[in-house]
Amino acid sequence: MCDPTSQLIERIINLLEKLSGDDIYVRIIMSIARSENGYLSLRGLSRAVSMSPKNVKKYVTRLEKLGLIRVEQPHEKLMLIYLDTSLDWLRDLLSK
């Protein structure tokens, strides 16, 4: 059985997801935070949010300018998207 703290955290996360509804910015951040490796490729993120890579890239660019995510491009055709270190707490929260 889960402890009360874990149940509370899960309820808070569910509430935040319901309040944000279909906000693409929140869906992108939550998808990256839940990712197994701590990052997603543009293609993987596109699959996670059910949107074309071209459209997701526009939102990623905006989130990067806001300092919420960081983008690395180790290869011309590969874009890796990470949460900014200021959001490590979210990743920790979602892993519990």
Side-chain angles (χ1 to χ4, degrees), residues 5-48:
T5 304
S6 296
Q7 289 176 347
L8 179 62
I9 290 171
E10 188 174 323
R11 287 181 180 175
I12 291 170
I13 291 169
N14 288 335
L15 175 65
L16 291 173
E17 288 177 337
K18 286 180 183 179
L19 289 174
S20 66
D22 290 331
D23 186 73
I24 188 64
Y25 294 108
V26 174
R27 287 175 43 206
I28 288 172
I29 288 173
M30 296 296 271
S31 296
I32 299 167
R34 285 191 175 113
S35 66
E36 191 174 302
N37 300 323
Y39 65 88
L40 286 172
S41 66
L42 180 61
R43 184 170 285 193
L45 181 57
S46 297
R47 276 189 234 113

Side-chain angles (χ1 to χ4, degrees), residues 4 7-8 17 21 24 26 30 33 38 46 55 58 62 66-67 70-71 77-78 81-82 88-89 95:
Q7 289 176 347
L8 179 62
E17 288 177 337
I24 188 64
V26 174
M30 296 296 271
S46 297
N55 290 332
K58 294 175 189 175
R62 174 76 173 133
L66 291 172
R70 62 184 173 85
V71 176
K77 294 185 178 184
L78 180 63
I81 304 157
Y82 299 82
D88 283 345
W89 61 269
S95 68

Side-chain angles (χ1 to χ4, degrees), residues 1 18 34 51 59 79 81:
M1 189 165 190
K18 286 180 183 179
R34 285 191 175 113
M51 191 179 279
Y59 294 105
M79 179 183 283
I81 304 157

